[in-house]
Amino acid sequence: MQISNQRIGGLIFLLLSLFYGYFSYDIPLFPGAEYEPFTPRTLPQFLALCGIACSIILMLTGGSDFRTSVKHLVWRPAAKLLVAMFAYGLLVNWMGFVLATIIFLVVSFRIMGETQHKKALVVAILFTVAFWALLTHVLDIYLEPGQLWHWFNG
């Protein structure tokens, strides 16, 4: 088996997915919710399983030589995205899911090279509101509005 950048990326993604799946068990449940078919832990555990499956597929199918492929890697956007994800994790409790996610998506679009700011903002708002509505109204998952919301609303 050759070591390629796809296989290294798959291994890193596998480790992240395993950590994410492990820590999803720390999500608190309401009393009696452990017997419900869909709990706040269900979606994170499903995402962890999807990440594990995708990383295994990536490790099995990645093929080019590491020396030639490492020259084409772009480290700067990946590092900026990691910093943006870390900042998102720190700000989501303070700003709330909706505002923090919109800002994170707009910043991420900019890092990935999107130059149309209006388009990035509209996509970020639509995606965030749709995902928030799905989680809160369809799946009945409580999302903390954030300390900023409580500060403005008393």
Side-chain angles (χ1 to χ4, degrees):
M1 177 185 283
Q2 290 182 340
I3 298 175
S4 66
N5 61 344
Q6 288 93 2
R7 288 186 174 135
I8 292 173
L11 181 63
I12 292 170
F13 194 61
L14 176 66
L15 292 174
L16 288 174
S17 298
L18 288 172
F19 280 121
Y20 183 71
Y22 175 76
F23 286 112
S24 70
Y25 285 96
D26 289 343
I27 297 172
L29 297 176
F30 293 116
E34 59 270 2
Y35 301 110
E36 293 180 5
F38 195 90
T39 67
R41 294 179 184 166
T42 305
L43 186 59
Q45 290 170 347
F46 176 73
L47 291 174
L49 286 176
C50 289
I52 290 169
C54 289
S55 61
I56 289 172
I57 291 170
L58 186 62
M59 287 191 308
L60 292 177
T61 59
S64 65
D65 186 25
F66 179 72
R67 282 184 230 150
T68 57
S69 62
V70 77
K71 293 177 185 176
H72 303 291
L73 291 177
V74 281
W75 294 100
R76 187 172 295 224
K80 287 179 180 178
L81 281 175
L82 284 175
V83 170
M85 284 190 277
F86 183 73
Y88 174 74
L90 292 176
L91 292 177
V92 72
N93 285 337
W94 187 72
M95 299 177 96
F97 174 80
V98 174
L99 188 58
T101 304
I102 290 171
I103 293 171
F104 170 72
L105 288 176
V106 169
V107 169
S108 298
F109 291 151
R110 179 72 182 124
I111 291 171
M112 296 303 290
E114 178 61 47
T115 57
Q116 299 177 355
H117 299 296
K118 277 186 178 178
K119 181 180 174 184
L121 184 63
V122 168
V123 169
I125 289 172
L126 290 176
F127 175 78
T128 302
V129 170
F131 197 65
W132 173 82
L134 174 72
L135 289 175
T136 58
H137 296 292
V138 176
L139 300 176
D140 203 24
I141 296 174
Y142 175 73
L143 293 175
E144 175 66 27
Q147 296 176 4
L148 191 62
W149 175 264
H150 294 300
W151 188 61
F152 278 118
N153 290 325

